[in-house]
Amino acid sequence: QVQLVESGGGLAQPGGSLRLSCAASGSIFSINTMGWYRQAPGKERELVAAITWGGSTNYTDSVKGRFTIARDNAKYTWYLQMNSLKPEDTAVYYCNADLTPFYSDYSRDYWGQGTQVTVSS
């Protein structure tokens, strides 16, 4: 089995910073892409940032210049450093991985449990 476990999140003031971490464990053969999504109340889940195994990154426009995604391939762990936080960043953040387990020939999406990020004064 494969598990994604998130940590971090919580409450921050506008302009503040938070760091999210996601660790994948279990029968992992390979990981193609690691990412972070978020879902605010009443809104659809959206991609925030993604990084490939090779290090290529992608960000949604609203977080460019403020958020940074990074990974540690040896630890199957990736991070989202969130700076200059805004109230509109408030959401449940989910980590995601497109990975292939040892017991499958195909890759698929796996998800973390979600962590609340609240930006408020």
Side-chain angles (χ1 to χ4, degrees):
Q1 298 299 321
V2 174
Q3 277 191 314
L4 272 57
V5 178
E6 302 177 21
S7 60
L11 176 65
Q13 292 188 340
S17 298
L18 287 172
R19 187 189 195 217
L20 306 181
S21 299
C22 183
S25 63
S27 301
I28 299 169
F29 176 70
S30 65
I31 301 180
N32 300 315
T33 306
M34 297 154 274
W36 292 93
Y37 287 71
R38 67 186 178 187
Q39 187 166 19
K43 295 188 176 181
E44 293 186 355
R45 190 174 297 189
E46 64 168 351
L47 174 67
V48 177
I51 187 167
T52 66
W53 186 259
S56 297
T57 58
N58 180 42
Y59 297 91
T60 191
D61 286 345
S62 62
V63 308
K64 286 179 180 177
R66 300 188 299 122
F67 290 12
T68 302
I69 189 169
R71 88 271 188 248
D72 184 336
N73 287 347
K75 296 181 179 179
Y76 288 150
T77 300
W78 55 104
Y79 311 91
L80 186 68
Q81 178 67 42
M82 303 183 291
N83 298 329
S84 302
L85 283 163
K86 303 176 180 180
E88 51 263 43
D89 294 318
T90 297
V92 178
Y93 284 70
Y94 298 89
C95 67
N96 165 272
D98 173 34
L99 66 82
T100 304
F102 275 110
Y103 48 82
S104 174
D105 292 332
Y106 306 100
S107 67
R108 72 169 182 90
D109 281 332
Y110 289 82
W111 295 89
Q113 77 278 12
T115 185
Q116 178 69 46
V117 170
T118 302
V119 183
S120 175
S121 56

